[in-house]
Amino acid sequence: MGRETDLAFDTVGHGNLRTAAALVGDRSRMESIVEPALADELGGQWITSDRSSQRLRELLDLCALGEFRVAVRKEYPLAASTHPEVAAGHGRGKVVLRIG
């Protein structure tokens, strides 16, 4: 069938992991941050994150050192409505609210 995919990382859900399962040679290298039950059912992994002020500080330090980069798609002042941009769901990078 051709070359297998090395890794699948699902950030969308909606059953897309089923498509990935047909493409990934080693299902243990199939990961999801949105569908833990489906990832488990298909032999993949569910990835969670440590959301804490300490972890945020570590990530900011990595950004300052240039070792971690976040793609910013668009930046808005705090008073702006970002709903249309976020609801579109397309595009690379994060939508950011600028404070101050």
Side-chain angles (χ1 to χ4, degrees):
M1 180 176 161
R3 186 166 178 241
E4 293 177 340
T5 301
D6 295 326
L7 170 76
F9 183 54
D10 177 30
T11 62
V12 177
H14 308 290
N16 287 309
L17 217 47
R18 291 192 190 285
T19 301
L23 302 173
V24 176
D26 178 358
R27 287 189 178 185
S28 70
R29 295 182 51 86
M30 192 171 59
E31 302 167 344
S32 176
I33 62 170
V34 290
E35 291 192 299
L38 185 57
D40 186 52
E41 173 190 327
L42 297 173
Q45 300 178 57
W46 178 44
I47 298 176
T48 61
S49 63
D50 173 17
R51 296 180 183 195
S52 66
S53 59
Q54 179 182 346
R55 184 64 180 143
L56 180 58
R57 170 72 347 212
E58 291 169 3
L59 292 172
L60 289 172
D61 289 344
L62 289 172
C63 285
L65 294 170
E67 294 179 17
F68 180 73
R69 292 184 221 18
V70 177
V72 175
R73 172 175 32 173
K74 194 150 187 179
E75 186 177 314
Y76 291 93
L78 183 58
S81 173
T82 62
H83 290 105
E85 180 78 25
V86 175
H90 300 289
R92 183 168 187 240
K94 301 294 182 184
V95 174
V96 176
L97 290 175
R98 184 178 57 252
I99 300 173

